[in-house]
């Protein structure tokens, strides 16, 4: 007998899911066509379109620093947190908001990339980068947590349900400490976060 479906993500995102508030969102195929996003993935709102894409943070690799004297950089791909990726054309900053520039080329496997111009600021190895909040917003209740595993269609944007408020088990999500601050959430006890 063949199974009806393969369940990949059975862990609870929230012990109190009956208290979590959810809404519908549209996942932009441009950024994750054909990608299966897992339950608890942190989504950011694309400011220009109002659609959503997965949020990601990646460390700068040793020897791959951002420098005001160069347009090149290298990210430490194994340190990536989140189910998305950086893309050509993304405006990137440090997680603290320090402007870096616009990605001209980026190899998602090696982490090697170039900016459209020399970096706007220096950023040392070990620091984290993300898509600029002006482009991919988490603030002012824009961020969402994916409710259920979702395969993003290659040919059209994909509707899905996502949480915007509630109590969540942080290790079952891709919410980082920096993202939690931007979301306006807080830790209520060890391992559990609150989004309001």
């Amino acid at each position: 007998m063949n199974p009806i479906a393969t369940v990949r993500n059975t862990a609870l995102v929230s012990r109190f899911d009956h208290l979590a508030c959810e809404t519908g969102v549209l996942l932009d195929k441009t950024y994750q066509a054909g990608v299966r996003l897992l339950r608890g993935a942190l989504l950011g709102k694309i400011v220009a379109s109002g659609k959503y894409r997965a949020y990601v943070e990646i460390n700068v690799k040793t020897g791959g620093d951002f420098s005001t004297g160069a347009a090149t950089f290298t990210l430490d791909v194994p340190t990536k947190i989140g189910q998305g990726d950086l893309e050509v054309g993304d405006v990137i900053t440090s997680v603290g908001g320090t402007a870096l520039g616009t990605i001209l080329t980026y190899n998602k496997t090696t982490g090697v990339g170039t900016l459209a111009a020399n970096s706007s600021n220096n950023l040392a190895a070990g620091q984290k980068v993300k898509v600029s909040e002006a482009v991919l917003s988490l603030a002012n209740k824009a961020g969402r947590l994916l409710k259920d595993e979702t395969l993003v269609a290659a040919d059209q944007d994909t509707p899905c349900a996502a949480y915007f408020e509630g109590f969540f088990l942080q290790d079952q999500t891709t919410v980082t400490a920096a993202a939690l601050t931007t979301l306006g959430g807080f830790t209520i006890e060890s391992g559990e976060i609150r989004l309001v």
Side-chain angles (χ1 to χ4, degrees), residues 33 40 45 83 154 172 174:
K45 184 176 186 178
Q83 295 175 358
Q172 298 301 317
T174 58

Side-chain angles (χ1 to χ4, degrees), residues 30-46:
T30 306
Y31 297 99
Q32 53 240 338
V35 173
R36 184 176 303 279
L37 297 177
L38 301 180
R39 179 183 305 148
L42 178 58
L43 308 173
K45 184 176 186 178
I46 302 167

